Amino acid sequence: METKMKTVILIGALGKMGQAALSGLGKHKVITAGRSGNVDHIVDITDEQSIEALYAKVGHFDAVVNTVGVCEYAPFVEMTEAQWMTTVMSKMMGQINLVRIGQKYIADGGSFTLISGILNIKPIPFAIADATTSGAIDTFVKCVAYEMPRNTRINVVNPTVLTEAWDVYGEMMPGFEPVPGKLVGKAFERSVDGFITGEVIFVDA
Amino acid sequence: METKMKTVILIGALGKMGQAALSGLGKHKVITAGRSGNVDHIVDITDEQSIEALYAKVGHFDAVVNTVGVCEYAPFVEMTEAQWMTTVMSKMMGQINLVRIGQKYIADGGSFTLISGILNIKPIPFAIADATTSGAIDTFVKCVAYEMPRNTRINVVNPTVLTEAWDVYGEMMPGFEPVPGKLVGKAFERSVDGFITGEVIFVDA
């Protein structure tokens, strides 16, 4: 069986998670998007109009892979409403809006793959907003899969920290084992090229 | 062993879930609160100032029990950003703010008990925003418990539909078995009078 070549919109393509996802999308035509830098399209997932414009400009596409979501980090007792809302409007509502708006544009049988993160399963200090919104996205994907239109699918990749990002995050994550981006890329590939839907694809060691 | 009498703020006291919670708080001094009606204090959990004012007015309290959270119901493909945000700002951020602000006021060793709902585990049509925010609150409670200050505790009651509300919700919940409010009251009692923390207390049949 050969995998059909698909047009995939990859959001956050230049980031470490985006590069990890890209490693699993080698068979496809990848259209890159992000907030800045050398990408095919600039998009801000916290802005509905920006999302709508991205989909309209791309035209036909079979898959959306999102690897971004801004989170604020602080101890719970110090975290402000503004810090909570930055996280909620990006990692949670930004991703939900990518699907809510994108379901109107995506090809029949297409797929969405979102990103959460292992801290909802393995909590650490400073990460309560990240964990809470990851829990929201994991739940959203499991529940919304039943009502996606036109045979479209949806999954979320929930990875632990990347080997490529261990120098940045390692110190705040004692006892965690990083995983290589290439393995996380496989998770994105399994979502885009498989038939699964409503799944939280954990990549942990 | 006798349970020490505690001062408990019960938010949403006049609703069906509030009455269910009340049935488990008989040993305590209950201060009632809600958006309207014959309660000790009027409070709107979507308004930070209103939450702050409630705690300041009550003064000393040992427990907060919340039974409210507004949700909008619609098919996912029809749900608007405004409907999503109503749900997020009430059921999710309203409850998080009750804890975020309340942790400054609550007595040492006090407890917070929040409310979610079984639809994140048993999805049904129209309930994606309810399910997603329930998933967020269940995750929040599990993760934030590790950093609650001054030996305060936090749990969430995740009930199925109440027998007392079956006439309203029964038709949209085929195959669900309702539980009596009195049993849900026991869950609130177990949270307020127990030593557990970080738990999602499911009440399902």
Side-chain angles (χ1 to χ4, degrees), chain B residues 45-66:
Chain B
I45 69 164
T46 69
D47 177 344
E48 283 181 82
Q49 253 106 58
S50 177
I51 294 172
E52 195 101 37
L54 168 70
Y55 291 138
K57 274 183 283 184
V58 170
H60 176 92
F61 58 92
D62 304 288
V64 175
V65 171
N66 181 58

PDB file of all heavy atoms in Angstrom, chain B residues 45-66:
ATOM      1  N   ILE B  45     -19.223  34.224  39.454  1.00  0.00           N
ATOM      2  CA  ILE B  45     -17.869  33.633  39.410  1.00  0.00           C
ATOM      3  C   ILE B  45     -17.095  34.038  38.150  1.00  0.00           C
ATOM      4  O   ILE B  45     -15.901  33.768  38.047  1.00  0.00           O
ATOM      5  CB  ILE B  45     -17.863  32.096  39.562  1.00  0.00           C
ATOM      6  CG1 ILE B  45     -18.477  31.398  38.342  1.00  0.00           C
ATOM      7  CG2 ILE B  45     -18.542  31.664  40.864  1.00  0.00           C
ATOM      8  CD1 ILE B  45     -18.150  29.902  38.281  1.00  0.00           C
ATOM      9  N   THR B  46     -17.747  34.684  37.200  1.00  0.00           N
ATOM     10  CA  THR B  46     -17.019  35.162  36.015  1.00  0.00           C
ATOM     11  C   THR B  46     -16.420  36.548  36.244  1.00  0.00           C
ATOM     12  O   THR B  46     -15.797  37.113  35.341  1.00  0.00           O
ATOM     13  CB  THR B  46     -17.929  35.235  34.762  1.00  0.00           C
ATOM     14  OG1 THR B  46     -18.893  36.280  34.937  1.00  0.00           O
ATOM     15  CG2 THR B  46     -18.645  33.918  34.534  1.00  0.00           C
ATOM     16  N   ASP B  47     -16.599  37.083  37.447  1.00  0.00           N
ATOM     17  CA  ASP B  47     -16.157  38.446  37.752  1.00  0.00           C
ATOM     18  C   ASP B  47     -15.189  38.384  38.945  1.00  0.00           C
ATOM     19  O   ASP B  47     -15.592  38.106  40.077  1.00  0.00           O
ATOM     20  CB  ASP B  47     -17.399  39.283  38.078  1.00  0.00           C
ATOM     21  CG  ASP B  47     -17.068  40.710  38.495  1.00  0.00           C
ATOM     22  OD1 ASP B  47     -15.900  41.003  38.830  1.00  0.00           O
ATOM     23  OD2 ASP B  47     -18.005  41.527  38.507  1.00  0.00           O
ATOM     24  N   GLU B  48     -13.910  38.649  38.669  1.00  0.00           N
ATOM     25  CA  GLU B  48     -12.879  38.578  39.718  1.00  0.00           C
ATOM     26  C   GLU B  48     -13.213  39.428  40.935  1.00  0.00           C
ATOM     27  O   GLU B  48     -13.006  39.021  42.075  1.00  0.00           O
ATOM     28  CB  GLU B  48     -11.534  39.065  39.173  1.00  0.00           C
ATOM     29  CG  GLU B  48     -10.817  38.080  38.298  1.00  0.00           C
ATOM     30  CD  GLU B  48      -9.485  38.674  37.843  1.00  0.00           C
ATOM     31  OE1 GLU B  48      -8.508  38.603  38.620  1.00  0.00           O
ATOM     32  OE2 GLU B  48      -9.434  39.210  36.722  1.00  0.00           O
ATOM     33  N   GLN B  49     -13.692  40.651  40.672  1.00  0.00           N
ATOM     34  CA  GLN B  49     -14.018  41.558  41.773  1.00  0.00           C
ATOM     35  C   GLN B  49     -15.131  40.997  42.639  1.00  0.00           C
ATOM     36  O   GLN B  49     -15.127  41.146  43.861  1.00  0.00           O
ATOM     37  CB  GLN B  49     -14.467  42.925  41.227  1.00  0.00           C
ATOM     38  CG  GLN B  49     -13.429  44.005  41.412  1.00  0.00           C
ATOM     39  CD  GLN B  49     -12.755  44.328  40.090  1.00  0.00           C
ATOM     40  OE1 GLN B  49     -13.427  44.700  39.115  1.00  0.00           O
ATOM     41  NE2 GLN B  49     -11.454  44.167  40.040  1.00  0.00           N
ATOM     42  N   SER B  50     -16.097  40.356  42.007  1.00  0.00           N
ATOM     43  CA  SER B  50     -17.223  39.771  42.732  1.00  0.00           C
ATOM     44  C   SER B  50     -16.743  38.618  43.629  1.00  0.00           C
ATOM     45  O   SER B  50     -17.180  38.464  44.767  1.00  0.00           O
ATOM     46  CB  SER B  50     -18.270  39.287  41.720  1.00  0.00           C
ATOM     47  OG  SER B  50     -19.343  38.664  42.370  1.00  0.00           O
ATOM     48  N   ILE B  51     -15.811  37.826  43.105  1.00  0.00           N
ATOM     49  CA  ILE B  51     -15.236  36.725  43.900  1.00  0.00           C
ATOM     50  C   ILE B  51     -14.463  37.285  45.098  1.00  0.00           C
ATOM     51  O   ILE B  51     -14.632  36.833  46.233  1.00  0.00           O
ATOM     52  CB  ILE B  51     -14.288  35.863  43.022  1.00  0.00           C
ATOM     53  CG1 ILE B  51     -15.076  35.134  41.928  1.00  0.00           C
ATOM     54  CG2 ILE B  51     -13.509  34.877  43.888  1.00  0.00           C
ATOM     55  CD1 ILE B  51     -14.189  34.424  40.897  1.00  0.00           C
ATOM     56  N   GLU B  52     -13.632  38.268  44.821  1.00  0.00           N
ATOM     57  CA  GLU B  52     -12.820  38.897  45.871  1.00  0.00           C
ATOM     58  C   GLU B  52     -13.726  39.485  46.964  1.00  0.00           C
ATOM     59  O   GLU B  52     -13.469  39.315  48.160  1.00  0.00           O
ATOM     60  CB  GLU B  52     -11.959  39.997  45.231  1.00  0.00           C
ATOM     61  CG  GLU B  52     -10.830  40.499  46.088  1.00  0.00           C
ATOM     62  CD  GLU B  52      -9.459  39.919  45.717  1.00  0.00           C
ATOM     63  OE1 GLU B  52      -9.158  39.715  44.527  1.00  0.00           O
ATOM     64  OE2 GLU B  52      -8.683  39.646  46.659  1.00  0.00           O
ATOM     65  N   ALA B  53     -14.813  40.136  46.538  1.00  0.00           N
ATOM     66  CA  ALA B  53     -15.745  40.757  47.484  1.00  0.00           C
ATOM     67  C   ALA B  53     -16.431  39.696  48.357  1.00  0.00           C
ATOM     68  O   ALA B  53     -16.617  39.887  49.567  1.00  0.00           O
ATOM     69  CB  ALA B  53     -16.792  41.577  46.730  1.00  0.00           C
ATOM     70  N   LEU B  54     -16.796  38.578  47.749  1.00  0.00           N
ATOM     71  CA  LEU B  54     -17.436  37.494  48.515  1.00  0.00           C
ATOM     72  C   LEU B  54     -16.523  37.032  49.644  1.00  0.00           C
ATOM     73  O   LEU B  54     -16.933  36.954  50.813  1.00  0.00           O
ATOM     74  CB  LEU B  54     -17.750  36.320  47.579  1.00  0.00           C
ATOM     75  CG  LEU B  54     -18.160  35.009  48.277  1.00  0.00           C
ATOM     76  CD1 LEU B  54     -19.543  35.146  48.919  1.00  0.00           C
ATOM     77  CD2 LEU B  54     -18.151  33.834  47.293  1.00  0.00           C
ATOM     78  N   TYR B  55     -15.282  36.712  49.311  1.00  0.00           N
ATOM     79  CA  TYR B  55     -14.348  36.202  50.320  1.00  0.00           C
ATOM     80  C   TYR B  55     -14.086  37.238  51.408  1.00  0.00           C
ATOM     81  O   TYR B  55     -14.018  36.911  52.598  1.00  0.00           O
ATOM     82  CB  TYR B  55     -13.030  35.778  49.668  1.00  0.00           C
ATOM     83  CG  TYR B  55     -13.138  34.552  48.799  1.00  0.00           C
ATOM     84  CD1 TYR B  55     -12.486  34.485  47.564  1.00  0.00           C
ATOM     85  CD2 TYR B  55     -13.864  33.437  49.207  1.00  0.00           C
ATOM     86  CE1 TYR B  55     -12.562  33.354  46.757  1.00  0.00           C
ATOM     87  CE2 TYR B  55     -13.946  32.302  48.404  1.00  0.00           C
ATOM     88  CZ  TYR B  55     -13.294  32.268  47.187  1.00  0.00           C
ATOM     89  OH  TYR B  55     -13.366  31.146  46.404  1.00  0.00           O
ATOM     90  N   ALA B  56     -13.923  38.491  50.990  1.00  0.00           N
ATOM     91  CA  ALA B  56     -13.653  39.558  51.965  1.00  0.00           C
ATOM     92  C   ALA B  56     -14.834  39.719  52.922  1.00  0.00           C
ATOM     93  O   ALA B  56     -14.650  39.880  54.130  1.00  0.00           O
ATOM     94  CB  ALA B  56     -13.357  40.862  51.232  1.00  0.00           C
ATOM     95  N   LYS B  57     -16.064  39.655  52.387  1.00  0.00           N
ATOM     96  CA  LYS B  57     -17.254  39.820  53.222  1.00  0.00           C
ATOM     97  C   LYS B  57     -17.432  38.666  54.195  1.00  0.00           C
ATOM     98  O   LYS B  57     -17.819  38.856  55.342  1.00  0.00           O
ATOM     99  CB  LYS B  57     -18.514  39.954  52.348  1.00  0.00           C
ATOM    100  CG  LYS B  57     -18.790  41.389  51.895  1.00  0.00           C
ATOM    101  CD  LYS B  57     -20.082  41.492  51.108  1.00  0.00           C
ATOM    102  CE  LYS B  57     -19.902  40.983  49.688  1.00  0.00           C
ATOM    103  NZ  LYS B  57     -21.084  41.123  48.826  1.00  0.00           N
ATOM    104  N   VAL B  58     -17.172  37.439  53.722  1.00  0.00           N
ATOM    105  CA  VAL B  58     -17.376  36.265  54.592  1.00  0.00           C
ATOM    106  C   VAL B  58     -16.359  36.273  55.728  1.00  0.00           C
ATOM    107  O   VAL B  58     -16.675  35.918  56.859  1.00  0.00           O
ATOM    108  CB  VAL B  58     -17.300  34.959  53.785  1.00  0.00           C
ATOM    109  CG1 VAL B  58     -17.269  33.748  54.723  1.00  0.00           C
ATOM    110  CG2 VAL B  58     -18.488  34.853  52.829  1.00  0.00           C
ATOM    111  N   GLY B  59     -15.137  36.673  55.432  1.00  0.00           N
ATOM    112  CA  GLY B  59     -14.107  36.653  56.464  1.00  0.00           C
ATOM    113  C   GLY B  59     -13.551  35.251  56.640  1.00  0.00           C
ATOM    114  O   GLY B  59     -13.029  34.667  55.703  1.00  0.00           O
ATOM    115  N   HIS B  60     -13.691  34.681  57.828  1.00  0.00           N
ATOM    116  CA  HIS B  60     -13.137  33.350  58.069  1.00  0.00           C
ATOM    117  C   HIS B  60     -13.991  32.249  57.420  1.00  0.00           C
ATOM    118  O   HIS B  60     -15.195  32.208  57.605  1.00  0.00           O
ATOM    119  CB  HIS B  60     -13.053  33.090  59.576  1.00  0.00           C
ATOM    120  CG  HIS B  60     -12.573  31.692  59.883  1.00  0.00           C
ATOM    121  ND1 HIS B  60     -11.249  31.390  60.074  1.00  0.00           N
ATOM    122  CD2 HIS B  60     -13.249  30.506  59.983  1.00  0.00           C
ATOM    123  CE1 HIS B  60     -11.125  30.095  60.284  1.00  0.00           C
ATOM    124  NE2 HIS B  60     -12.323  29.542  60.237  1.00  0.00           N
ATOM    125  N   PHE B  61     -13.338  31.365  56.683  1.00  0.00           N
ATOM    126  CA  PHE B  61     -14.038  30.165  56.171  1.00  0.00           C
ATOM    127  C   PHE B  61     -13.040  29.026  55.971  1.00  0.00           C
ATOM    128  O   PHE B  61     -11.855  29.250  55.763  1.00  0.00           O
ATOM    129  CB  PHE B  61     -14.795  30.470  54.871  1.00  0.00           C
ATOM    130  CG  PHE B  61     -13.919  30.985  53.753  1.00  0.00           C
ATOM    131  CD1 PHE B  61     -13.342  30.123  52.833  1.00  0.00           C
ATOM    132  CD2 PHE B  61     -13.678  32.352  53.615  1.00  0.00           C
ATOM    133  CE1 PHE B  61     -12.540  30.601  51.798  1.00  0.00           C
ATOM    134  CE2 PHE B  61     -12.868  32.840  52.594  1.00  0.00           C
ATOM    135  CZ  PHE B  61     -12.299  31.969  51.683  1.00  0.00           C
ATOM    136  N   ASP B  62     -13.584  27.823  56.095  1.00  0.00           N
ATOM    137  CA  ASP B  62     -12.741  26.619  56.027  1.00  0.00           C
ATOM    138  C   ASP B  62     -12.863  25.870  54.710  1.00  0.00           C
ATOM    139  O   ASP B  62     -12.027  25.012  54.405  1.00  0.00           O
ATOM    140  CB  ASP B  62     -13.138  25.651  57.150  1.00  0.00           C
ATOM    141  CG  ASP B  62     -13.068  26.300  58.515  1.00  0.00           C
ATOM    142  OD1 ASP B  62     -11.957  26.537  58.986  1.00  0.00           O
ATOM    143  OD2 ASP B  62     -14.147  26.581  59.088  1.00  0.00           O
ATOM    144  N   ALA B  63     -13.942  26.124  53.992  1.00  0.00           N
ATOM    145  CA  ALA B  63     -14.146  25.371  52.752  1.00  0.00           C
ATOM    146  C   ALA B  63     -14.961  26.182  51.763  1.00  0.00           C
ATOM    147  O   ALA B  63     -15.826  26.969  52.147  1.00  0.00           O
ATOM    148  CB  ALA B  63     -14.864  24.050  53.053  1.00  0.00           C
ATOM    149  N   VAL B  64     -14.650  25.964  50.484  1.00  0.00           N
ATOM    150  CA  VAL B  64     -15.452  26.515  49.392  1.00  0.00           C
ATOM    151  C   VAL B  64     -15.953  25.331  48.577  1.00  0.00           C
ATOM    152  O   VAL B  64     -15.172  24.467  48.177  1.00  0.00           O
ATOM    153  CB  VAL B  64     -14.611  27.448  48.488  1.00  0.00           C
ATOM    154  CG1 VAL B  64     -15.429  27.925  47.294  1.00  0.00           C
ATOM    155  CG2 VAL B  64     -14.062  28.622  49.286  1.00  0.00           C
ATOM    156  N   VAL B  65     -17.263  25.294  48.376  1.00  0.00           N
ATOM    157  CA  VAL B  65     -17.876  24.262  47.533  1.00  0.00           C
ATOM    158  C   VAL B  65     -18.571  24.979  46.386  1.00  0.00           C
ATOM    159  O   VAL B  65     -19.496  25.763  46.608  1.00  0.00           O
ATOM    160  CB  VAL B  65     -18.896  23.426  48.337  1.00  0.00           C
ATOM    161  CG1 VAL B  65     -19.692  22.515  47.389  1.00  0.00           C
ATOM    162  CG2 VAL B  65     -18.192  22.608  49.413  1.00  0.00           C
ATOM    163  N   ASN B  66     -18.089  24.742  45.171  1.00  0.00           N
ATOM    164  CA  ASN B  66     -18.744  25.371  44.019  1.00  0.00           C
ATOM    165  C   ASN B  66     -19.556  24.353  43.233  1.00  0.00           C
ATOM    166  O   ASN B  66     -19.080  23.267  42.935  1.00  0.00           O
ATOM    167  CB  ASN B  66     -17.721  26.000  43.081  1.00  0.00           C
ATOM    168  CG  ASN B  66     -18.425  26.666  41.909  1.00  0.00           C
ATOM    169  OD1 ASN B  66     -19.259  27.556  42.099  1.00  0.00           O
ATOM    170  ND2 ASN B  66     -18.147  26.207  40.705  1.00  0.00           N
TER     171      ASN B  66
END
